[in-house]
Amino acid sequence: MGFIETIKERAKQNKKTIVLPETSDRRTLEAAAKILEEEIANIILVGNEEEIKKGAEGLDLSKAAIIDPHTTEKLAGYIDLLVELRKSKGMTPEAAKESLTSDYLTFGVTMVKAGDADGMVAGAINATANVLRPSLQILKTAPGTKLVSAFFVMVVPNCEYGANGTFIFSDSGLNQNPNAEELAAIAGSSAKSFQLLVGEEPVVAMLSHSTKGSAKHADVDKVVEATKLAKEAYPDIKIDGEYQLDAAIVPSVGAQKAPGSDIAGKANVLIFPDLDAGNIGYKLTQRLAKAEAYGPITQGIAKPVNDLSRGCSADDIVGVIAITAVQAAAN
């Protein structure tokens, strides 16, 4: 059974409710229909029922709950909740009502905060910033979390590296140029996400264009410092660096470039030095190796809200919904 099939089976065992606010997008509706058909999760669609049904022609969404922000009896409670959460920022009942009824992303996140949904998936037609802004404002970060970050689960076909071709690439979706402390936090969070989703021991490589001092540059120094901080903060997790990519995942290269290491050549969690590297890395792997790319999956928000690539397919959305459900079950 492949990675996403295993995730789907786990989601079915403990069904959660996922809210989908982007109901003007056909791919989102197709994904909802597949999720309901396979009984992976319960689905809430946000929007006007007539418009959703018109957009869903040919799809069976009879088991989905459709919530219209303008007419739901829960609106008053959501307004009160939003005012309470954002009163320090000057939120008024009028402004809360306007936000909830005009921005379905805010409405969806508020549903999660209220406990009426367990998680949210969006981003097929919205930028990452628009998806995560209300999440951070309303749900905030999980206890003990220093930084919210985003990763991709990469499943590479016919690949002997990583966990049978499965990796986490992080941060590949959110933090532009993390400093050493932030990179260390990303490493810790990503290891825990790998353990949760893949179910195998995480082996974390801090990536660079240098392996163990082979190059000198301030960018290398950052990764060296991040590795030191990560080892101190997470002594129970296998973490090492700085490694070039081949030294991190190819056993023969790891043995040559970092002899004596029990991590070099065995990594399954790859921590990129900045967002440029992480984003380019995942897209290269997706397109050239024909890998499945699930994400960007967020880690560190108090309840799971996950972003989508705007180039995603309906099947991609199904995968992210299933991952979100598994995250919610562990919350």
Side-chain angles (χ1 to χ4, degrees):
M1 196 182 295
F3 166 75
I4 208 64
E5 286 73 29
T6 302
I7 289 290
K8 286 180 180 179
E9 287 303 314
R10 288 172 62 189
K12 290 177 188 178
Q13 301 306 314
N14 188 356
K15 276 179 79 172
K16 295 298 178 182
T17 298
I18 307 300
V19 58
L20 304 178
E22 294 177 321
T23 50
S24 63
D25 180 70
R26 174 75 180 188
R27 295 165 297 172
T28 297
L29 300 179
E30 289 173 358
K34 288 183 180 182
I35 288 287
L36 293 168
E37 180 186 359
E38 296 182 39
E39 299 185 336
I40 294 167
N42 302 312
I43 294 294
I44 296 173
L45 300 171
V46 180
N48 176 275
E49 185 169 359
E50 188 177 328
E51 290 176 3
I52 290 172
K53 288 182 175 178
K54 184 178 178 182
E57 189 174 347
L59 302 174
D60 181 6
L61 293 175
S62 57
K63 293 180 181 177
I66 297 176
I67 307 294
D68 187 336
H70 293 90
T71 59
T72 177
E73 61 189 19
K74 291 182 177 286
L75 181 59
Y78 291 163
I79 290 170
D80 291 343
L81 177 59
L82 199 53
V83 169
E84 177 63 27
L85 291 169
R86 304 282 294 156
K87 62 185 177 185
S88 66
K89 301 296 183 181
M91 180 64 73
T92 65
E94 294 76 21
K97 182 177 182 180
E98 169 64 22
S99 182
L100 287 162
T101 54
S102 65
D103 179 13
Y104 289 178
L105 296 172
T106 296
F107 187 88
V109 171
T110 305
M111 289 195 79
V112 176
K113 180 67 175 180
D116 293 328
D118 299 302
M120 184 179 90
V121 173
I125 56 174
N126 281 282
T128 297
N130 293 336
V131 175
L132 295 185
R133 189 181 304 108
S135 308
L136 295 172
Q137 290 174 344
I138 296 167
L139 295 172
K140 303 196 168 40
T141 56
T145 299
K146 295 179 180 177
L147 184 74
V148 173
S149 54
F151 63 88
F152 279 80
V153 178
M154 305 298 297
V155 183
V156 186
N158 306 312
C159 177
E160 71 267 37
Y161 306 132
N164 297 313
T166 300
F167 296 86
I168 274 182
F169 284 20
S170 192
D171 184 321
S172 299
L174 187 56
N175 293 286
Q176 183 68 49
N177 191 15
N179 62 29
E181 291 79 7
E182 290 167 336
L183 268 183
I186 290 167
S189 294
S190 300
K192 292 170 186 172
S193 291
F194 186 88
Q195 181 80 57
L196 170 66
L197 296 175
V198 183
E200 295 194 23
E201 183 182 20
V203 181
V204 183
M206 311 296 283
L207 297 182
S208 172
H209 68 275
S210 168
T211 297
K212 295 296 182 180
S214 65
K216 304 296 182 186
H217 191 276
D219 289 348
V220 177
D221 295 341
K222 179 179 82 168
V223 179
V224 172
E225 177 66 11
T227 303
K228 174 175 164 286
L229 293 172
K231 286 181 172 183
E232 291 171 355
Y234 312 105
D236 297 333
I237 298 173
K238 288 184 176 179
I239 300 174
D240 201 13
E242 86 285 12
Y243 288 139
Q244 292 160 295
L245 186 279
D246 55 355
I249 68 169
V250 181
S252 60
V253 179
Q256 178 188 1
K257 292 189 175 183
S261 169
D262 62 349
I263 292 174
K266 301 173 184 175
N268 46 38
V269 177
L270 305 180
I271 307 302
F272 291 83
D274 58 38
L275 188 57
D276 286 340
N279 187 272
I280 292 166
Y282 103 75
K283 288 183 186 292
L284 269 173
T285 307
Q286 180 184 29
R287 300 301 177 181
L288 299 188
K290 297 181 170 57
E292 299 165 31
Y294 297 101
I297 308 297
T298 57
Q299 51 192 4
I301 299 176
K303 292 187 179 182
V305 172
N306 284 318
D307 189 24
L308 298 162
S309 166
R310 278 172 283 178
C312 65
S313 67
D315 284 339
D316 293 335
I317 301 173
V318 169
V320 173
I321 292 171
I323 289 169
T324 307
V326 170
Q327 286 180 311
N331 207 283

